[in-house]
Amino acid sequence: MKVNSNEVPTEFQIQPYVCDQYLINGQLKTWKGNTTEVFSTIKSLNDAGERIPTLLGSIPDMETETALEALNAAEMAFQRGQGLWPTMKVGDRLKCMETFVEKMKEHREEVVKLLMWEICKNKSDSYKEFDRTVDYIVDTIDAYKNLDRKGAKFDKQGGVHAHIRRGPLGVVLCLGPYNYPLNETFCLLIPAIIMGNTAIFKPAKHGVLLIAPLLQAFQESFPPGVVNIVFGRGRKIASPIMQTGKVDVLALIGHSSSAVALQDEHPNKNRLRLVLGLEAKNPGIILPDADLDLTIKECISGTLSFNGQRCTALKVLYVHESLVDEFNQRFSKAVDELQFGMPWEDTFLTPLPEPAKPNYIKELIDDAVGKGAKVLNKRGGKVTENYCFPAVLYPVNETMNVYHEEQFGPVIPVISYKEIDEPLDAMAASDYGQQVSLFGRDVRKIGPLIDTLANLVCRVNLNSACQRGPDVYPFAGRKNSAVGTLSVYDALRSFSIRTFVAAKDSPYNNEILETLLNSKESNFVSTDYLL
Ligand code: G3H
């Protein structure tokens, strides 16, 4: 197969990569069992001159036995809170993380290249994903130092001294999504382990090979069993791990159906903490006085960055009837002007990494058209072997599948409204509650609207597309959109619990506490300032 045709710049050409290593209990082991081939939907020429999906390599298709071995390693490393890692000095855990991030940086080019091939993310966004992840780790280290400094003291209330800190929860099962296979997964994994938990991490179905170059960095940076990385199918790996009841935290970015199914496998639900980032159907609401130039620019990036494959994407646009015609005409033109190309060409639109996605998007379009919507833009809905050109659909109503489903792809439903209660009621009735974008200017309208919207979602973006970043801000959701809050700071809280040492104020206890502090015998009880 001619993977490296002349069309691909030399630095982005790729050779099939056999990922046969996995990490359990600090050992990089070689997998000798069944494997699964990994393909890109970006085509290459075979010897007969036919265009076929590019073979990128292979990954282990692990059996349950190996998954349980990984669980066992994580359990042993946590040792019900008695392990080396959960009892280690915070400063020492941070040193491990600093070592890791330095080693990770060495693999920037490999990981970015795999991001482009595996999930077809364009070049700048692939670099951005890598760099944003490195920044996230560095910021997490700083945030934990701050948290530790705040805890480096004693309180005294009601005659009781207290030394309050945050402690780990136990074993974390960490599962990430294909659209941010590095960033979103690490935004779970990194805070989880830095807080003293131990983890089993299974990469997503797409965007899996790119974890391979980092295996050694994990192995060399953390004590055995702290991070265990396995490859394969959810039903053979994640489900059996959950069934043991030994997982303390399910950390998952993905669909609520997967999260609920895994949760249901756990025999002791009251002992299972959930940290979940789930699906959404973020609306854009365009008020009569919206600045259309700005609105269209934000709606293009909001609906179609990475082809709409973002949980934060704008997935439905409510446009006031007074400007819907002008909006539709200008927005459709802007969509048709978008460039499609290969990831390394750094075009805005790139192929879809899921082989079935173009047809799914086409089905949504056909369903809506069959029920009265029109495709407003000329190129809308044109399907190629790995793409469906973004379609602006109007008028959309609740009889259509695209009204309800999280399309997670390039199709944009537009709904016209007369009264503001129409989008508000739709949002209230929706199963989702992550974010909204509100476009307008008149504060007499915007003010009260924000008061309501803030109770329907967790972030109201004013004249701005929805997004997760900057990562220091809280990333949360209501209803089916999330459980818990993530941000550099909040994730540290989500993966830990407040735990403290208390002692009645008495000369006897006070002397012991003072001696304890001076002796440095405890890693937990410490008033040292972490530099
Ligand atoms: O897929 C959901 C991501 O968290 C979205 O992140 O808004 O930075 O693209 P983003």
Side-chain angles (χ1 to χ4, degrees):
M1 196 197 317
K2 289 180 190 158
V3 175
N4 300 322
S5 77
N6 294 336
E7 295 158 18
V8 185
T10 320
E11 67 270 34
F12 300 123
Q13 293 187 1
I14 198 157
Q15 296 301 328
Y17 178 92
V18 177
C19 163
D20 59 358
Q21 291 203 305
Y22 60 107
L23 178 62
I24 290 186
N25 202 24
Q27 285 182 294
L28 276 178
K29 301 187 175 194
T30 303
W31 177 251
K32 300 208 172 66
N34 293 338
T35 59
T36 308
E37 290 185 320
V38 179
F39 290 95
S40 174
T41 54
I42 299 170
K43 307 276 168 128
S44 296
L45 296 178
N46 67 8
D47 294 338
E50 296 156 340
R51 288 166 58 77
I52 56 165
T54 305
L55 179 67
L56 298 180
S58 63
I59 50 158
D61 177 12
M62 289 181 170
E63 299 299 329
T64 300
E65 192 189 344
T66 316
L68 296 181
E69 205 188 310
L71 170 68
N72 190 42
E75 224 194 330
M76 294 291 291
F78 193 70
Q79 223 183 313
R80 295 199 167 97
Q82 300 169 81
L84 169 74
W85 185 249
T87 56
M88 194 181 265
K89 263 189 199 314
V90 170
D92 290 340
R93 283 209 296 267
L94 293 178
K95 277 189 201 128
C96 295
M97 195 57 83
E98 281 162 355
T99 306
F100 173 74
V101 76
E102 285 311 310
K103 288 178 187 284
M104 175 180 165
K105 283 189 210 163
E106 293 165 17
H107 299 282
R108 183 172 185 253
E109 297 303 323
E110 289 160 89
V111 172
V112 164
K113 183 155 81 170
L114 283 163
L115 270 169
M116 288 194 271
W117 279 97
E118 285 195 270
I119 63 158
C120 311
K121 189 168 276 191
N122 75 25
K123 186 167 75 176
S124 356
D125 284 348
S126 294
Y127 277 112
K128 207 194 288 174
E129 176 160 356
F130 189 93
D131 296 340
R132 178 180 176 183
T133 309
V134 167
D135 290 345
Y136 190 95
I137 300 174
V138 172
D139 291 348
T140 297
I141 292 170
D142 281 345
Y144 195 14
K145 282 185 183 168
N146 265 328
L147 192 65
D148 188 79
R149 288 170 194 143
K150 283 187 190 142
K153 63 181 174 64
F154 274 81
D155 287 335
K156 189 178 154 196
Q157 294 290 337
V160 178
H161 294 292
H163 184 65
I164 308 170
R165 289 191 173 275
R166 298 199 71 89
L169 296 160
V171 173
V172 180
L173 176 62
C174 181
L175 306 166
Y178 84 81
N179 64 335
Y180 281 91
L182 183 75
N183 182 261
E184 296 256 284
T185 315
F186 279 34
C187 288
L188 298 174
L189 184 63
I190 298 302
I193 55 181
I194 214 170
M195 291 309 293
N197 303 286
T198 60
I200 309 122
F201 158 40
K202 185 189 91 62
K205 186 171 171 203
H206 303 289
V208 50
L209 284 171
L210 58 91
I211 299 299
L214 303 175
L215 286 176
Q216 195 173 348
F218 277 114
Q219 190 240 345
E220 291 172 352
S221 308
F222 298 102
V226 172
V227 184
N228 303 278
I229 303 178
V230 289
F231 299 88
R233 283 155 218 250
R235 68 186 152 77
K236 285 201 274 185
I237 293 185
S239 305
I241 286 178
M242 291 298 285
Q243 283 158 11
T244 63
K246 291 177 177 172
V247 171
D248 300 291
V249 187
L250 173 63
L252 177 148
I253 307 276
H255 203 271
S256 58
S257 55
S258 322
V260 170
L262 284 172
Q263 205 183 333
D264 282 347
E265 303 275 12
H266 199 288
N268 304 310
K269 291 184 185 46
N270 59 308
R271 284 164 56 168
L272 179 68
R273 180 172 298 196
L274 302 171
V275 181
L276 310 175
L278 306 170
E279 69 273 21
K281 188 91 180 170
N282 293 343
I285 301 178
I286 298 158
L287 300 174
D289 65 343
D291 172 336
L292 271 194
D293 289 336
L294 173 65
T295 303
I296 286 165
K297 184 172 146 278
E298 291 295 318
C299 285
I300 289 284
S301 87
T303 55
L304 290 174
S305 292
F306 194 38
N307 292 303
Q309 301 164 114
R310 297 161 56 234
C311 58
T312 48
L314 286 174
K315 298 199 178 96
V316 56
L317 300 178
Y318 289 92
V319 189
H320 190 260
E321 59 176 13
S322 62
L323 74 173
V324 72
D325 290 339
E326 187 185 355
F327 174 84
N328 280 342
Q329 187 262 326
R330 291 177 57 187
F331 184 66
S332 302
K333 184 165 174 287
V335 171
D336 273 346
E337 283 166 2
L338 295 172
Q339 297 295 308
F340 173 82
M342 291 299 117
W344 44 85
E345 294 169 330
D346 217 15
T347 49
F348 187 72
L349 305 176
T350 48
L352 297 168
E354 294 178 294
K357 191 52 94 50
N359 275 344
Y360 168 67
I361 297 296
K362 185 71 175 119
E363 277 166 23
L364 287 177
I365 296 168
D366 291 346
D367 170 75
V369 169
K371 291 168 181 164
K374 286 198 169 58
V375 177
L376 299 185
N377 55 323
K378 292 195 186 83
R379 301 170 77 189
K382 296 220 164 72
V383 176
T384 60
E385 52 200 6
N386 56 15
Y387 201 59
C388 179
F389 199 87
V392 183
L393 284 174
Y394 177 81
V396 164
N397 63 47
E398 57 193 75
T399 65
M400 302 170 188
N401 293 340
V402 74
Y403 179 93
H404 303 278
E405 292 176 27
E406 188 203 31
Q407 63 268 41
F408 219 74
V411 56
I412 308 138
V414 180
I415 299 173
S416 142
Y417 72 90
K418 191 181 176 69
E419 303 296 338
I420 194 64
D421 282 347
E422 294 166 40
L424 294 183
D425 289 346
M427 286 174 71
S430 153
D431 281 337
Y432 310 109
Q434 191 198 61
Q435 300 188 17
V436 65
S437 289
L438 182 62
F439 297 94
R441 189 189 172 93
D442 181 353
V443 294
R444 285 168 308 173
K445 296 269 162 34
I446 289 173
L449 255 180
I450 289 175
D451 297 347
T452 299
L453 289 170
N455 294 338
L456 291 171
V457 294
C458 287
R459 173 165 165 167
V460 180
N461 299 278
L462 191 56
N463 294 310
S464 315
C466 297
Q467 60 177 37
R468 173 176 177 156
D471 290 325
V472 290
Y473 290 150
F475 181 49
R478 299 169 188 271
K479 298 188 263 187
N480 282 7
S481 288
V483 176
T485 302
L486 293 171
S487 74
V488 168
Y489 168 75
D490 289 299
L492 297 176
R493 294 180 60 89
S494 295
F495 286 104
S496 60
I497 189 164
R498 270 146 63 96
T499 175
F500 68 108
V501 176
K504 284 186 183 161
D505 182 24
S506 69
Y508 179 73
N509 276 344
N510 295 354
E511 192 196 328
I512 293 174
L513 285 176
E514 256 173 45
T515 316
L516 180 61
L517 278 169
N518 293 333
S519 72
K520 314 277 181 212
E521 286 293 334
S522 169
N523 290 339
F524 185 94
V525 179
S526 164
T527 52
D528 288 353
Y529 184 89
L530 200 58
L531 288 172

